[in-house]
Amino acid sequence: MIYLDYQATTPVAPEVAEAMRPWAEERFANPHSPSRWGREAAAAIEVARGQVERAIGLSGGSLAFTGSATEALNWAIRGTLEKAPNERDRIVTVATEHAAVLDTAEWLAGQGVDLTLLPVGSDGLIDLADLERELDERVALVAVMLVNNEIGVVQPVAEVARKAHDVGALMLCDAVQGLGRIAIPEGPDLVAVSAHKIHGPKGVGALWMREGAEPAPLLHGGGQERGLRSGTMAPALCAGFGAAAKLASERRGVDRDHVERLWKAALEALGEGWLVNGSIEHRYRGNLNLRREGLDSARLIADLRDIAFSLGSACASGSGRPSHVLRALGLSDREARSSVRIGFGRYTSEQDLVEALSRIAAAAHAQEGVAA
Ligand code: PLP
């Protein structure tokens, strides 16, 4: 199996598995109990918190662990609107956000919140003038992601935050695909991240909050995370997230150079006839979202079962619906269905990538009835 689906999830780093093991096995105490064991587990969570905060790299705030980035995003959006003054009843976000943002915002729209979805250009980027036109004193929250999960394009988050602040709104950034890969710019008040996209475990995310911008709680109960998020915390998952964040911080330059080399090798291996979806310039290059005239991408994936890659988005895959992101770029249903997403990173070897892409190119040629 050659794994090229790094946007869906990433392989667990050996250092992460090692950091989690004691907390999953013999050191099983409840981190909220006052015993010595409990206090040790609580201390491990605090070490992990510092590691993830340092990887996020923003000043003036702190984070709470959650069960996923999906939870962090639901919390940030619903909790911000709940806390906002009555006259601030608008959310501005983007048509290409992850479902965790779009579906939450749409749910709130069903409750009477005024929702604006900004369009993107054919490069997948928002136009800051469009944003400015939509902003007024009624906006409570502007939510714009850093790196798009389907096409890898990087939105101008610092400028968005500045414009949101100009009208007194808060800015939420979904940095799930950006953490550890590119720097998170200063500006956002709320930042959602997820461990499993940075070689950590599944089932743990976090919401970083600027001091004073904490949303109202989504989960009520024991109040374990400073009264903001309830539920017994998982020391093993937090320790794994911390170890993954520490590694990502230490390896940022090495990982970036590796991805850059892989990107170049990938484009060479593919040959003619492929178009990259989304901006090439403003992009995280571990995401290669490609389309090819007439390609049946579902058939391509079925023909190459020992290569893991995706139909645009892991979340939309299987639903039968063409990706909302590719449609937002202005692609037709047919073009969207002729697109595949190839994702690579730290543990992808150049040899595996080139082999997989040569086979993908050959299978695509075969669909056209041309010998590769
Ligand atoms: N946001 C983006 C951009 C993502 O890619 C994902 C995962 O696919 C999420 C949010 C949700 O993260 P989690 O799997 O931790 O719920």
Side-chain angles (χ1 to χ4, degrees):
M1 164 77 92
I2 300 179
Y3 186 75
L4 297 178
D5 205 5
Y6 267 57
Q7 281 71 39
T9 198
T10 52
V12 174
E15 294 88 339
V16 167
E18 190 50 38
M20 292 175 68
R21 200 198 48 75
W23 306 105
E25 293 180 352
E26 69 276 8
R27 305 181 80 177
F28 58 82
N30 185 323
H32 313 293
S33 76
S35 67
R36 183 165 63 82
W37 284 10
R39 287 204 309 275
E40 284 171 4
I45 291 173
E46 292 318 307
V47 169
R49 193 187 309 279
Q51 289 167 325
V52 180
E53 283 174 352
R54 277 192 291 284
I56 291 173
L58 299 178
S59 51
S62 58
L63 69 75
F65 287 108
T66 59
S68 61
T70 297
E71 182 197 325
L73 290 162
N74 271 259
W75 174 21
I77 297 169
R78 291 175 60 169
T80 298
L81 267 288
E82 188 181 324
K83 248 180 100 174
N86 286 344
E87 61 279 13
R88 283 201 186 262
D89 62 348
R90 292 189 59 208
I91 298 178
V92 176
T93 184
V94 183
T96 51
E97 292 290 305
H98 189 271
V101 168
L102 290 178
D103 288 5
T104 307
E106 268 155 28
W107 181 84
L108 278 172
Q111 312 290 306
V113 165
D114 185 346
L115 171 63
T116 301
L117 292 184
L118 296 173
V120 294
S122 58
D123 56 2
L125 297 171
I126 57 165
D127 181 339
L128 288 168
D130 287 343
L131 170 67
E132 209 165 296
R133 260 193 305 281
E134 291 299 340
L135 291 178
D136 62 25
E137 307 285 322
R138 281 182 50 219
V139 177
L141 185 69
V142 179
V144 178
M145 74 202 319
L146 182 58
V147 175
N148 186 273
N149 51 304
E150 293 195 36
I151 54 176
V153 302
V154 180
Q155 300 287 5
V157 163
E159 290 83 347
V160 170
R162 224 170 288 131
K163 290 190 188 303
H165 294 161
D166 283 347
V167 295
L170 294 181
M171 197 257 163
L172 163 66
C173 178
D174 171 350
V176 166
Q177 298 284 346
L179 180 66
R181 295 172 177 163
I182 65 170
I184 301 176
E186 283 288 348
D189 305 287
L190 299 159
V191 178
V193 293
S194 182
H196 74 102
K197 310 290 184 174
I198 63 160
H199 308 286
K202 290 163 193 63
V204 60
L207 183 65
W208 181 90
M209 298 162 278
R210 188 173 302 290
E211 215 180 308
E214 297 84 356
L218 182 68
L219 300 184
H220 301 273
Q224 283 86 348
E225 282 284 69
R226 289 184 288 142
L228 290 168
R229 195 266 184 184
S230 292
T232 301
M233 298 179 71
L237 295 177
C238 294
F241 196 175
K246 177 167 178 280
L247 258 184
S249 303
E250 289 166 356
R251 294 183 50 105
R252 186 173 285 164
V254 182
D255 285 350
R256 188 190 48 231
D257 293 349
H258 181 56
V259 162
E260 195 60 35
R261 266 195 305 278
L262 293 176
W263 164 270
K264 290 195 183 113
L267 290 181
E268 258 172 49
L270 278 167
E272 302 283 296
W274 299 87
L275 291 167
V276 177
N277 289 320
S279 169
I280 292 189
E281 190 191 342
H282 299 283
R283 184 188 202 91
Y284 167 64
R285 292 192 163 192
N287 176 316
L288 189 51
N289 193 313
L290 297 163
R291 77 175 188 276
R292 185 178 180 87
E293 175 61 31
L295 180 73
D296 179 344
S297 54
R299 196 177 128 202
L300 189 71
I301 285 175
D303 285 347
L304 297 167
R305 285 282 177 211
D306 59 339
I307 304 174
F309 63 114
S310 153
L311 289 173
S313 152
C315 314
S317 299
S319 70
R321 278 180 287 133
S323 142
H324 71 285
V325 174
L326 297 179
R327 293 304 312 278
L329 301 191
L331 300 193
S332 65
D333 269 15
R334 194 159 162 271
E335 286 170 320
R337 288 182 205 281
S338 301
S339 298
V340 290
R341 184 186 67 188
I342 304 205
F344 41 84
R346 185 186 298 162
Y347 301 110
T348 312
S349 74
E350 189 169 327
Q351 188 186 354
D352 277 356
L353 180 63
V354 166
E355 180 194 324
L357 289 180
S358 306
R359 287 181 52 209
I360 288 171
H365 279 281
Q367 282 190 10
E368 294 157 11
V370 179

